[in-house]
Amino acid sequence: MNNLFKDMLAEHFEQEIYDFLQDHIMNNYDQYDLTRRANEVNEVLEASLDLAEVLRVYNIKQDGSDVAFNMLVSCDIEIGDYFAGENITESVCQWFELSCSAVLENATLTDFSIDGIEAYNK
């Protein structure tokens, strides 16, 4: 069932997941210590999502047609710094756990929403 959910999410909501993560990262990058995995960037002055991949869907709970679940997403984030008149950028990986909900009817997910987000690895 987990792979079925993962496939449905990738097929129907990939762009929505990407857009949510992009917006969250651009507006909240200072909440995460992204320099921990960086080699060149010392202070993150900007960040944007480069790539997002759903790794797994778990903790699925269904009540009638309403479904709640968690999703683990690996994100490649482009971070940037400015030093001595030069822009410095590099890509770092950050995993996020998304709390999601949807409606499952006729083997199709609808009304998908991301209800919460937390850093999975710190």
Side-chain angles (χ1 to χ4, degrees), residues 5-31:
F5 265 65
K6 183 179 170 188
D7 293 343
M8 277 196 264
L9 290 165
E11 184 177 335
H12 298 287
F13 302 107
E14 181 177 27
Q15 189 63 49
E16 192 171 332
I17 294 166
Y18 182 92
D19 291 345
F20 174 87
L21 288 165
Q22 170 70 327
D23 184 59
H24 179 79
I25 289 165
M26 287 180 68
N27 293 315
N28 301 291
Y29 64 84
D30 56 343
Q31 294 179 11

Side-chain angles (χ1 to χ4, degrees), residues 26-114:
M26 287 180 68
N27 293 315
N28 301 291
Y29 64 84
D30 56 343
Q31 294 179 11
Y32 307 102
D33 187 9
L34 297 173
T35 58
R36 226 175 145 176
R37 287 174 280 291
N39 292 318
E40 297 177 25
V41 172
N42 292 317
E43 179 184 358
V44 179
L45 300 178
E46 61 184 6
S48 64
L49 181 62
D50 189 33
L51 177 70
E53 177 185 0
V54 176
L55 299 177
R56 69 183 181 117
V57 178
Y58 57 99
N59 199 21
I60 301 168
K61 296 177 183 168
Q62 186 171 0
D63 182 15
S65 61
D66 295 329
V67 182
F69 53 94
N70 291 2
M71 185 179 356
L72 183 61
V73 182
S74 174
C75 296
D76 289 341
I77 301 171
E78 187 78 21
I79 57 174
D81 194 355
Y82 187 78
F83 181 74
E86 185 177 327
N87 287 327
I88 302 167
T89 62
E90 68 181 293
S91 184
V92 296
C93 183
Q94 174 68 52
W95 288 9
F96 291 99
E97 180 181 45
L98 305 179
S99 300
C100 305
S101 59
V103 174
L104 179 61
E105 291 178 338
N106 301 323
T108 303
L109 284 175
T110 61
D111 297 329
F112 171 76
S113 69
I114 299 171

